[in-house]
Amino acid sequence: MTLRDMRAAVVLFLGLAVATGLLYPLAMTGAGQVLFPRQANGSLMRVHGRIMGSMLIGQYLRGPGLFWSRPSATAPVPYDAKASGASNLGPDNPVLRQHVASRVAALRKADPGVRGPVPVDLVTSSGSGLDPDISIAAAHYQVARISRATTIARGQLMALIRRYTVPRSLGFLGEPVVNVVRLDLALWRREGARRPR
């Protein structure tokens, strides 16, 4: 290899490094900030200027007056974005069965009046362990408990569920889901000084 070839290789390397390592990331970051600023900054939710969380990450809230998210698979801290991942427990794993049984028992204890089957997403974690969404059935399952704890009428809670239901992607992919983080924030705002804990 001649000196001229080496010089060309170094120039090409430096040019590609600047283009792909600096210019392209800056362009994509700028485009994201201009076209999708809320999403590019983490879809953060603010109340009176204070960050309350992200619409994309569930929150570990277990007060009787709030909707409960799916169980989190992150440990030791629930919904820890740094530890995202599934539990990797298969359906025949006795540990998963124990977890599901204890979660069903906790739901039954929190609301003994509800007799129907417990929606599966209230007793199993998602693939990321951070999912902020639950099924419509899982949201409906919790209405009686929340109504008693907050004195909000069931019909009003059902209207809130409809308001924060996210439809299928592109109209046909997946199932409609309810964003629990946005739903609980709406409950906090509605309750005002009597915020459910």
Side-chain angles (χ1 to χ4, degrees):
M1 180 179 281
T2 66
L3 186 59
R4 182 177 174 186
D5 292 336
M6 288 181 63
R7 188 181 300 121
V10 169
V11 168
L12 181 61
F13 170 77
L14 292 175
L16 286 173
V18 169
T20 60
L22 183 65
L23 298 179
Y24 179 76
L26 285 174
M28 291 299 101
T29 301
Q33 291 295 331
V34 170
L35 300 174
F36 309 103
R38 186 175 56 81
Q39 294 90 334
N41 290 303
S43 299
L44 299 178
M45 302 177 68
R46 299 175 187 272
V47 177
H48 305 299
R50 183 176 166 213
I51 296 173
M52 296 296 288
S54 169
M55 240 176 38
L56 306 175
I57 299 176
Q59 300 287 316
Y60 185 72
L61 302 171
R62 283 295 181 258
L66 295 171
F67 285 90
W68 296 351
S69 297
R70 295 186 74 162
S72 174
T74 65
V77 179
Y79 297 101
D80 181 0
K82 298 185 298 288
S84 174
S87 65
N88 293 326
L89 299 175
D92 293 330
N93 191 309
V95 175
L96 177 63
R97 290 184 191 153
Q98 290 171 355
H99 288 173
V100 169
S102 67
R103 291 165 182 163
V104 168
L107 287 165
R108 298 279 190 214
K109 183 178 179 183
D111 199 352
V114 176
R115 297 284 178 224
V118 175
V120 69
D121 53 324
L122 286 179
V123 294
T124 57
S125 62
S126 66
S128 68
L130 306 174
D131 199 344
D133 301 319
I134 57 174
S135 65
I136 295 172
H140 289 174
Y141 183 88
Q142 302 180 66
V143 165
R145 168 179 50 81
I146 295 165
S147 181
R148 280 196 315 273
T150 63
T151 68
I152 298 174
R154 292 186 187 195
Q156 293 173 318
L157 288 168
M158 297 294 273
L160 278 174
I161 290 170
R162 285 191 297 274
R163 181 176 177 187
Y164 292 104
T165 296
V166 180
R168 290 179 168 95
S169 298
L170 303 175
F172 67 94
L173 294 176
E175 293 296 323
V177 293
V178 182
N179 188 286
V180 179
V181 178
R182 295 183 69 198
L183 189 55
D184 281 341
L185 185 58
L187 283 177
W188 285 344
R189 288 179 172 152
R190 185 182 186 92
E191 289 292 275
R194 284 186 65 256
R195 293 200 324 191
R197 296 188 296 278

